[in-house]
Amino acid sequence: MEDDANIDDEIVIIYQNDGSVKDQGLTTNQIEAGKKLNDQVDIIKVKDGDQVDALVLELLKNRHVLAAQKNTYMKFPALPNDPKLAQA
């Protein structure tokens, strides 16, 4: 997955402590790519962008999933005046 790619067909999944993408039963017919952000968070790219909402609802039914939602950009009107922000 490219960092500057269109994110409209991506889903962010946050797992319970014992969850992983392997627990979702997803197939290559549904998923085009995936990226692991850490032990509990994955971003998956849905093959058919029209199925993103349906797949989010399906993922939320899985007991291993804490949260699932469409990927989105966060936009801030201004950055805080914090000299240590660049170190974060």
Side-chain angles (χ1 to χ4, degrees):
M1 291 176 48
E2 297 177 23
D3 291 336
D4 61 349
N6 183 347
I7 64 169
D8 292 338
D9 54 356
E10 294 179 353
I11 298 174
V12 178
I13 306 170
I14 302 174
Y15 303 103
Q16 299 283 359
N17 293 332
D18 59 344
S20 74
V21 73
K22 295 175 186 174
D23 300 321
Q24 308 314 310
L26 302 171
T27 67
T28 54
N29 291 333
Q30 296 170 295
I31 303 304
E32 183 175 318
K35 181 177 183 180
K36 184 167 214 50
L37 297 184
N38 63 42
D39 288 343
Q40 287 186 269
V41 182
D42 284 330
I43 297 178
I44 58 172
K45 184 174 180 74
V46 179
K47 220 174 221 183
D48 180 356
D50 293 334
Q51 297 300 313
V52 173
D53 292 327
L55 190 52
V56 166
L57 293 175
E58 182 180 326
L59 289 166
L60 289 171
K61 293 177 186 176
N62 188 300
R63 66 180 181 88
H64 296 286
V65 174
L66 180 64
Q69 69 178 42
K70 286 179 167 181
N71 200 3
T72 185
Y73 288 110
M74 295 179 74
K75 296 181 183 179
F76 300 98
L79 292 174
N81 186 15
D82 183 350
K84 294 186 178 184
L85 181 64
Q87 298 172 4

